[in-house]
Amino acid sequence: MWVEFTISHEAAAETLAPRLERVFGPSQPAALSRSAIFGPNAAAWQSQLQYCGESQQSRIICYAAKSNELQVVIEPTGGRLDRIFQSAWDGITTALADLGPVLTDAKQVDEATNQTIQSGQVGVAAEIRQKEIYLPLSLALANVAWLGVGLLTWVDQDQLRFMSGSVTTVTAGVFAAGSLFLNLRKKRLRWSGTQ
Amino acid sequence: MTYEADILSEIRGQLAQQQSRGFEDITGRSSGPARPDLVLKSPSGEVVVLEFKHYAPNQDLHFAALAQVASYSRMLSEQYSAPARALLVTNGRVQPRLEETARQLGVAIIELDETNKSSSVANLLQNLSD
């Protein structure tokens, strides 16, 4: 299995290789020969790539299709997949930090079936789709709306008591909003099935 | 039906109508890790490897697709001890740099017109016979 990223960014005057090496370590072209999809033609690929690196958990292979787009393949070799992919994405955002990197496409491809099994996304839309975010957040918002309507219309006595019933839901919503904010700052990569 | 499955069924249909033009469909007979979408054996004994990649509108063809089909072609050429031809069929935008890399790897990239599938497939099959 491997992951494909397509990242658009502002065009850089220089090659991206030194930036990628600063984050992922020196390029190791020899690692290409151990790759499932690049291995059979490793020699031909070596001169085409911006970067090829290998750690104990993954291989990362980068190609600049054009001056403002970096394409990346990550092949896991051990460890937890979600952490490997997040770590690769974090590394790329660090390497291209001043070029405004934007993940335009991310997919996990299963080599046994040659099918895309999951698609990845970062940003508000991806976060909002997470159950642990949208459930407490929507309940809290509904509660706040209910409180507002109640306080403005029929609740003129025991207002504090009326509001106290919503404390736990609103608190959960605040935590969910905090979590959403942190995940957006961290550019957390979210995966969802395509089959 | 997915794009790949749709195109594959169109190709198989047109091949059947034309008595396969001498091409034998040997997809799935590979014993190795290569899993191309379609593998044909030409009348001259050449192995033709076709891989389909569908992208969202205005998205670029990814270099992994090129690496994948080039790798399949190499593996199947060794397995059948025959020359192999790799064709990558896609609706993705092909950047000039990737086109150049494809040329160096011996992969032909065929851009499919999704609005006129039958004629695109007919052209593809005509290319196979040439």
Side-chain angles (χ1 to χ4, degrees):
Chain A
M1 186 246 249
W2 68 86
V3 156
E4 299 173 13
F5 285 159
T6 302
I7 298 134
S8 64
H9 57 83
E10 289 167 27
E14 75 293 346
T15 167
L16 300 178
R19 292 165 174 269
L20 295 163
E21 289 194 334
R22 270 197 295 278
V23 174
F24 294 109
S27 201
Q28 307 161 63
L32 266 187
S33 58
R34 292 185 284 278
S35 158
I37 54 171
F38 293 89
N41 297 295
W45 275 106
Q46 276 180 9
S47 60
Q48 304 293 320
L49 301 171
Q50 291 284 305
Y51 179 82
C52 172
E54 192 176 45
S55 69
Q56 283 185 333
Q57 300 199 317
S58 66
R59 248 183 314 277
I60 178 163
I61 299 150
C62 303
Y63 178 90
K66 49 188 180 184
S67 61
N68 60 352
E69 184 182 279
L70 185 68
Q71 297 184 343
V72 181
V73 167
I74 300 132
E75 293 180 306
T77 52
R80 274 189 55 174
L81 297 180
D82 54 345
R83 288 193 189 155
I84 291 170
F85 303 147
Q86 182 67 51
S87 161
W89 168 236
D90 291 345
I92 291 160
T93 51
T94 305
L96 308 183
D98 58 326
L99 300 176
V102 175
L103 185 69
T104 52
D105 191 43
K107 57 178 74 145
Q108 293 179 17
V109 182
D110 174 39
E111 63 193 75
T113 57
N114 192 12
Q115 297 286 316
T116 299
I117 47 174
Q118 298 219 80
S119 292
Q121 247 191 328
V122 289
V124 180
E127 285 301 319
I128 289 289
R129 278 203 291 272
Q130 305 304 312
K131 215 165 19 179
E132 69 270 23
I133 302 286
Y134 75 73
L135 275 180
L137 209 53
S138 53
L139 283 173
L141 289 172
N143 243 290
V144 168
W146 176 251
L147 284 177
V149 172
L151 292 171
L152 291 171
T153 54
W154 74 90
V155 183
D156 37 15
Q157 287 176 9
D158 287 336
Q159 288 186 332
L160 272 177
R161 207 167 149 198
F162 174 67
M163 287 193 290
S164 67
S166 301
V167 168
T168 47
T169 317
V170 172
T171 307
V174 169
F175 277 109
S179 174
L180 168 68
F181 176 72
L182 284 176
N183 289 338
L184 288 176
R185 275 197 59 160
K186 285 193 291 190
K187 294 184 192 289
R188 186 162 175 189
L189 189 53
R190 298 289 196 171
W191 295 98
S192 55
T194 57
Q195 297 287 303
Chain B
M1 193 183 263
T2 64
Y3 170 82
E4 284 91 346
D6 203 15
I7 294 288
L8 273 172
S9 121
E10 181 77 33
I11 288 179
R12 289 199 166 109
Q14 291 203 19
L15 275 174
Q17 274 174 19
Q18 298 159 27
Q19 278 126 16
S20 296
R21 293 176 185 238
F23 283 92
E24 186 189 356
D25 186 349
I26 54 170
T27 314
R29 292 196 206 161
S30 158
S31 55
R35 297 277 185 280
D37 291 323
L38 190 66
V39 188
L40 302 171
K41 199 155 195 184
S42 78
S44 62
E46 185 187 42
V47 176
V48 183
V49 181
L50 287 105
E51 182 66 24
F52 301 90
K53 290 290 171 190
H54 190 246
Y55 292 89
N58 300 322
Q59 223 180 329
D60 289 344
L61 175 68
H62 200 279
F63 80 118
L66 190 57
Q68 193 185 4
V69 70
S71 149
Y72 285 166
S73 163
R74 185 89 181 243
M75 285 188 246
L76 292 171
S77 171
E78 283 167 14
Q79 189 186 328
Y80 289 103
S81 306
R85 186 146 52 119
L87 301 174
L88 178 55
V89 185
T90 185
N91 69 329
R93 286 189 312 197
V94 185
Q95 295 300 328
R97 179 144 197 268
L98 201 63
E99 217 165 6
E100 179 54 37
T101 305
R103 232 187 322 274
Q104 291 182 21
L105 287 164
V107 176
I109 300 177
I110 296 172
E111 294 176 61
L112 264 193
D113 175 9
E114 285 184 277
T115 56
N116 195 349
K117 200 175 53 197
S118 292
S119 107
S120 293
V121 169
N123 286 338
L124 169 65
L125 293 178
Q126 187 58 49
N127 281 341
L128 284 183
S129 306
D130 292 343

